[in-house]
């Protein structure tokens, strides 16, 4: 079995990654890190750079893992596709703090994942660090 | 010292609060579109052409001048931070600039590009003041045959010298000339290429063609490749330079200017050749040859200055002869025609106020750009995060609005679509769009000169060679055509011996 973590290079993403790494070590399962983007803008701050990915890779050393950066129409759908394809047992997401106006105007990837995931979801708020 | 007086009058016009505001809008808009790859100053000026219906000519041209120079600045920011040149002229800047940024010297690269552009732009604009009026004075005396020959030279040079493929260039040029023929012939009253459609009798408005080719074509092209893997942007603080950077930059700036201006001022103007020459020269002259290829500041300073100086140089044939040699100048010329101003050698005499205000605003815009760009570089870099769908939805909206506003006819929207599709196909098959636009703009004027010459000579074709300037122009054209052949011959002989 595998664990999928929805990763972004920000506090929410690193909180999710910390938790996912701990779970993967406890369960002895493979970890798939998904960092998806719509690819609409020339530069996307939430699309991990090679430097970010190097750090992630270092954090995952000793663990069977895979890092994926798909580009597609809907970021949540890309993560869910990965969950379905890999037959994952668990999905880990990080939650950002969002203002009421922000919630009203923009959709939330985390919310979509929580509602639509076919497997149990671990959700961790940004800034919460998990000892691994 | 007519030029000095004219220039002072120009400053008086350009420094009124209203015009200063237009200059500010121009440089901000210009930098923004320069930063975003794919959207250039030519497209922006084309989209803003409808503004010419209710804004004073001087104000409109002051804004266009700001966009023109601003686009050059913005392009260098993108090529340094992203290694994605926004314009073909900043390809060379990207070579060393991006390496510098990767080595953590993005701030210095941006600073030398901005200050170098300012230096080159100021010198270049001063050279316009020195040369354009006297060239115009000489050009007024030229007869129709000479003028015809110079226009043919400009068309051939733009098509054959710039761009990778001559064949593609000429396809594009002849498409443009054909579009320019549509409508009722002014001399005989015959319908040409109207296909029996009365709405085509007035010809196709250049605004519609320019907006369609630049804006709709590009928007469709981007829509066809909407999702791309984002590129990594190099974070940048406020640009600055140390003492050593200044010492290494000022000579390349001046040499770059010396390369850029004459190349821009020739009818075959373009920034690709001088930026490349400047790069090669700096590589040869540098005291730090080991740094070239790994981020040498000379390799940013020189080409960037050459780029801006050639942008200034391009305005010399445009203002003194009415010959545009790059896309933005071509669209600006279309704007002039929109105001009923006849571009050509008589421009300084007939619309001196306007021309001098335009030149003065180049100085002002240049200074504004330096003030804007040094502190605001991080902000410009953020612009790159704009999602393309929002950006291009806006472009399509303004394009349709602009095309409809020309004559308030639905037919123009149909034409917009047709030419937009043509623009998409041209991008798909690698046809350069510049020869087409210049063909549409110069084609009708070329025809007028040709017919005038022939009428004066009672239809004898020999008149085309009756003036020395014309003969020289034809010789240059012949050389341009024979150059590839000669090069091949010369390259072959040493091998055989």
């Amino acid at each position: 079995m595998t664990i999928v973590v929805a990763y972004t290079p920000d506090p929410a993403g690193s909180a999710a990654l910390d938790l996912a790494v701990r779970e993967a070590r406890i369960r002895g399962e493979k970890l798939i890190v998904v960092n998806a983007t719509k690819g609409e803008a020339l530069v996307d701050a939430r699309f991990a750079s090679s430097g970010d990915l190097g750090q992630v890779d270092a954090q995952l050393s000793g663990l069977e893992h895979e890092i994926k950066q798909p580009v597609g129409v809907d970021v949540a759908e890309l993560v869910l596709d990965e969950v379905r394809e890999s037959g994952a047992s668990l999905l880990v997401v990080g939650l950002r703090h969002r203002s009421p106006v922000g919630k009203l105007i923009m959709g939330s990837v985390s919310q979509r994942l929580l509602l639509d995931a076919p497997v149990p979801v671990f959700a961790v708020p940004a800034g919460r660090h998990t000892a691994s | 010292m007519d030029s000095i007086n004219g220039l002072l009058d120009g400053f008086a016009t350009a420094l009124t609060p209203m015009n200063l505001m237009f200059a500010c809008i121009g440089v901000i808009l210009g930098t923004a579109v320069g930063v975003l790859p794919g959207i250039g100053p030519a497209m922006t000026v084309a989209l803003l052409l409808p503004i010419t219906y209710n804004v004073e000519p001087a104000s409109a041209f002051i804004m266009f001048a700001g966009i023109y120079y601003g686009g050059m600045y913005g392009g260098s920011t993108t090529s340094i931070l992203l290694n994605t040149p926004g314009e073909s002229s900043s390809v060379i800047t990207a070579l060393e600039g991006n390496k510098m940024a990767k080595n953590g010297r993005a701030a210095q690269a941006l600073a030398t590009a901005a200050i170098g552009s300012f230096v080159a732009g100021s010198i270049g604009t001063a050279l316009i003041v020195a040369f354009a009026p006297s060239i115009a004075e000489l050009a007024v005396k030229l007869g129709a045959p000479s003028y015809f020959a110079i226009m043919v030279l400009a068309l051939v040079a733009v098509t054959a010298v710039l761009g990778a493929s001559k064949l593609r260039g000429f396809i594009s040029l002849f498409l443009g000339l054909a579009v320019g023929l549509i409508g009722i012939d002014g001399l005989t009253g015959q319908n040409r290429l109207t296909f029996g459609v009365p709405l085509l009798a007035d010809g196709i408005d250049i605004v519609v063609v320019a907006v369609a080719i630049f804006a709709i074509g590009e928007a469709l092209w981007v829509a066809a490749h909407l999702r791309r893997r984002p590129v990594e942007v190099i974070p940048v603080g406020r640009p600055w330079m140390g003492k050593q950077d200044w010492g290494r930059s000022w000579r390349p700036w001046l040499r770059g200017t010396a390369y850029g201006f004459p190349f821009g001022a020739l009818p075959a103007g373009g920034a690709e050749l001088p930026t490349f020459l400047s790069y090669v020269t700096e590589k040869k002259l540098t005291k730090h040859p080991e740094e070239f290829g790994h981020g040498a500041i000379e390799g940013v300073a020189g080409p960037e200055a050459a780029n801006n100086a050639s942008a200034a140089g391009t305005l010399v044939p445009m203002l003194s002869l009415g010959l545009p040699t790059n896309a933005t100048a071509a669209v600006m010329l279309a704007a002039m025609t929109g105001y009923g101003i006849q571009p050509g050698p008589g421009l300084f005499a007939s619309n001196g106020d306007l021309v001098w205000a335009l030149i003065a605003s180049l100085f002002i815009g240049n200074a504004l750009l330096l003030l804007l760009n040094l502190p605001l570089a991080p902000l410009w870099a953020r612009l790159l995060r704009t999602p393309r769908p929002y950006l291009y939805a806006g472009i399509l909206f303004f394009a349709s609005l602009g095309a409809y506003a020309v004559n308030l006819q639905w037919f123009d929207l149909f034409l917009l679509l047709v030419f937009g599709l043509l623009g998409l196909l041209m991008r798909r098959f690698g046809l350069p769009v510049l020869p087409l636009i210049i063909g549409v703009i110069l084609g009708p004027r070329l025809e007028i000169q040709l017919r005038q010459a022939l009428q004066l000579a009672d239809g004898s074709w020999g008149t085309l060679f009756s003036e020395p300037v014309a003969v020289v122009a034809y010789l240059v054209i012949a050389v341009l055509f024979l150059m590839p052949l000669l090069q091949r011959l010369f390259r072959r002989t040493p091998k055989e011996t």
Side-chain angles (χ1 to χ4, degrees):
Chain A
M1 295 299 266
T2 50
I3 296 174
V4 172
V5 54
Y7 174 73
T8 48
D10 58 13
S14 60
L17 188 67
D18 288 345
L19 181 67
V21 169
R22 196 191 65 174
E23 281 305 310
R25 288 197 204 280
I26 292 172
R27 301 181 182 204
E29 286 181 359
K30 181 186 175 187
L31 185 60
I32 299 178
V33 180
V34 183
N35 174 220
T37 177
K38 282 180 161 183
E40 284 175 348
L42 197 68
V43 171
D44 184 348
R46 290 205 215 132
F47 193 66
S49 68
S50 48
D52 293 326
L53 292 181
Q55 281 178 7
V56 172
D57 213 42
Q59 198 184 343
L60 298 180
S61 59
L63 204 64
E64 190 193 345
H65 66 270
E66 213 177 318
I67 298 175
K68 292 191 174 176
Q69 288 193 298
V71 179
V73 182
D74 182 348
V75 172
E77 206 51 48
L78 288 169
V79 176
L80 291 174
D81 281 347
E82 192 51 45
V83 170
R84 287 186 210 107
E85 272 168 37
S86 62
S89 59
L90 180 70
L91 170 65
V92 184
V93 296
L95 305 177
R96 287 185 298 140
H97 175 75
R98 314 186 73 220
S99 66
V101 178
K103 281 181 205 162
L104 188 73
I105 297 173
M106 309 287 266
S108 162
V109 173
S110 306
Q111 189 181 357
R112 284 275 319 275
L113 292 178
L114 286 167
L115 294 174
D116 295 346
V119 295
V121 183
F122 261 19
V124 55
R128 192 69 58 85
H129 284 284
T130 319
S132 52
Chain B
M1 287 282 96
D2 273 354
S3 312
I4 303 294
N5 285 336
L7 186 61
L8 287 177
D9 283 345
F11 269 109
T13 316
L15 282 173
T16 57
M18 191 66 172
N19 286 343
L20 215 51
M21 185 194 79
F22 274 108
C24 276
I25 297 176
V27 293
I28 291 173
L29 213 60
T31 318
V33 299
V35 165
L36 295 164
I39 308 175
M43 186 209 274
T44 314
V45 177
L47 284 178
L48 286 174
L49 282 177
I51 210 176
T52 55
Y53 300 132
N54 40 23
V55 171
E56 292 280 304
S59 305
F61 281 103
I62 284 168
M63 184 164 74
F64 292 162
I67 293 173
Y68 184 53
Y69 272 13
M72 302 287 157
Y73 276 78
S76 61
T77 308
T78 318
S79 49
I80 289 169
L81 295 182
L82 285 185
N83 203 13
T84 313
E87 307 272 312
S88 61
S89 48
S90 43
V91 171
I92 304 282
T93 313
L95 285 179
E96 295 295 320
N98 189 249
K99 295 265 166 52
M100 275 185 79
K102 278 190 177 146
N103 294 342
R105 288 177 31 89
Q108 286 84 348
L110 286 176
T112 196
I115 302 172
S117 300
F118 171 73
V119 171
S122 302
I123 298 177
T125 314
L127 289 173
I128 298 179
V129 176
F131 286 119
S134 38
I135 293 177
E137 241 166 68
L138 288 177
V140 174
K141 294 175 192 140
L142 292 179
S146 298
Y147 205 56
F148 172 75
I150 292 174
M151 283 206 258
V152 174
L153 171 63
L155 286 177
V156 170
V158 165
T159 312
V161 177
L162 308 177
S165 159
K166 288 187 177 47
L167 177 63
R168 289 193 171 114
F170 278 105
I171 292 175
S172 171
L173 175 66
F174 284 115
L175 276 174
L177 290 174
V179 172
L181 282 179
I182 295 174
I184 291 180
D185 175 22
L187 217 60
T188 61
Q190 275 176 330
N191 278 317
R192 291 193 302 196
L193 296 178
T194 54
F195 306 105
V197 180
L199 285 167
L200 279 175
D202 282 339
I204 293 177
D205 203 293
I206 179 69
V207 176
V208 177
V209 182
V211 168
I213 297 286
F214 286 117
I216 306 282
E218 180 68 23
L220 292 176
W221 177 243
V222 167
H225 318 78
L226 183 61
R227 290 176 205 290
R228 269 175 284 178
R229 210 183 140 87
V231 281
E232 287 178 24
V233 66
I234 296 161
V236 61
R238 194 189 161 128
W240 61 276
M241 288 206 301
K243 213 170 178 185
Q244 206 208 346
D245 298 319
W246 281 94
R248 287 175 61 179
S249 288
W250 70 271
R251 268 178 283 246
W253 289 340
L254 294 183
R255 280 194 289 261
T257 310
Y259 273 124
F261 189 81
F263 274 100
L266 289 176
E272 286 90 346
L273 209 57
T275 48
F276 178 71
L277 284 176
S278 162
Y279 180 75
V280 175
T281 313
E282 296 312 329
K283 200 172 175 178
K284 219 176 266 171
L285 292 176
T286 180
K287 291 185 184 113
H288 307 267
E290 74 286 351
E291 278 187 30
F292 262 82
H294 306 282
I297 194 164
E298 292 94 339
V300 182
E304 199 48 36
N307 178 6
N308 261 55
S310 87
T314 308
L315 293 177
V316 172
M318 180 191 146
L319 294 176
S320 62
L321 300 170
L323 292 179
T325 50
N326 70 16
T328 318
V331 184
M332 279 165 81
L333 214 67
M336 249 180 224
T337 339
Y339 276 118
I341 299 168
Q342 191 62 42
L347 193 62
F348 273 95
S350 64
N351 293 82
D353 305 351
L354 178 68
V355 179
W356 287 115
L358 172 72
I359 294 176
S361 74
L362 290 174
F363 282 110
I364 296 169
N366 221 351
L368 280 177
L369 279 167
L370 190 67
L371 292 176
L372 268 178
N373 273 285
L374 286 182
L376 291 184
L379 205 72
W380 295 128
R382 283 181 71 94
L383 258 184
L384 295 167
R385 294 189 193 169
T386 321
R388 279 186 280 263
Y390 301 149
L391 210 58
Y392 283 91
I395 289 172
L396 285 177
F397 173 75
F398 277 106
S400 314
L401 198 67
Y404 187 68
V406 178
N407 298 318
L408 300 180
Q409 276 173 356
W410 64 268
F411 187 67
D412 282 330
L413 286 176
F414 170 74
L415 286 178
L416 185 77
L417 261 179
V418 172
F419 283 102
L421 279 175
L422 178 68
L424 171 70
L425 288 176
M426 288 175 73
R427 282 169 177 80
R428 165 66 185 82
F429 295 108
L431 298 182
V433 295
L434 176 61
L436 181 136
I437 287 295
I438 293 189
V440 177
I441 290 176
L442 283 189
R445 284 169 52 205
L446 192 73
E447 192 191 350
I448 290 174
Q449 297 294 340
L450 175 64
R451 288 181 147 184
Q452 213 170 44
L454 290 177
Q455 275 177 329
L456 289 176
D458 281 329
S460 138
W461 289 87
T463 183
L464 293 182
F465 301 94
S466 64
E467 292 183 18
V469 177
V471 176
V472 172
Y474 291 124
L475 283 177
V476 176
I477 294 172
V479 169
L480 279 177
F481 272 114
L482 292 176
M483 204 134 73
L485 272 174
L486 292 174
Q487 270 174 350
R488 210 171 282 176
L489 281 176
F490 280 117
R491 221 174 273 162
R492 211 171 271 170
T493 26
K495 266 183 199 167
E496 286 167 353
T497 46

